[in-house]
Amino acid sequence: MKNMFDLILNKLGTIDGRLDAIDQRLDAMDQRLDAMDQRIFSLERRQDEIFEVVKAIEHSNQVFKAEMDSVNLRISHVEGTLNAVGETINKRKIV
């Protein structure tokens, strides 16, 4: 009977040792998961920052395009005025 209890206690000790090893592995995995969570959070934050920069660049490009359109319209207006003045001068020279 005593041998049987010793055998059971020995087996329980072995099982307890294995469970401790599993607990240590789980703790290590938890630490790795925490590190991965921090990296993912950092990447998400960087991605958000990059998205904001891209939106700002896109807005800047739209503003620049609108300003260039305005400049082109002004140049066209000045060109038309100069052509009209030139035609008027040429007509007066002929007369």
Side-chain angles (χ1 to χ4, degrees):
M1 192 68 136
K2 182 177 188 255
N3 287 338
M4 197 180 204
F5 282 124
D6 286 341
L7 181 63
I8 291 171
L9 288 175
N10 188 21
K11 293 291 182 183
L12 288 175
T14 303
I15 291 172
D16 192 41
R18 289 181 180 175
L19 287 176
D20 287 342
I22 290 172
D23 281 342
Q24 289 175 353
R25 288 181 182 175
L26 287 175
D27 288 341
M29 289 178 74
D30 280 343
Q31 290 174 353
R32 288 180 185 168
L33 287 174
D34 288 342
M36 288 176 71
D37 282 345
Q38 290 174 354
R39 286 182 181 176
I40 289 171
F41 177 75
S42 176
L43 288 173
E44 287 174 344
R45 191 174 56 210
R46 286 182 190 168
Q47 184 180 16
D48 290 343
E49 290 171 356
I50 291 169
F51 180 72
E52 291 299 320
V53 169
V54 168
K55 282 180 22 182
I57 291 170
E58 183 180 9
H59 176 71
S60 175
N61 285 340
Q62 289 172 349
V63 169
F64 180 76
K65 184 181 180 311
E67 289 173 350
M68 288 304 297
D69 288 346
S70 176
V71 168
N72 285 336
L73 287 173
R74 288 185 201 162
I75 289 172
S76 294
H77 178 72
V78 169
E79 183 181 22
T81 302
L82 288 175
N83 286 339
V85 168
E87 288 175 12
T88 303
I89 291 172
N90 283 335
K91 285 180 185 177
R92 289 194 180 182
K93 282 184 182 179
I94 294 174
V95 175

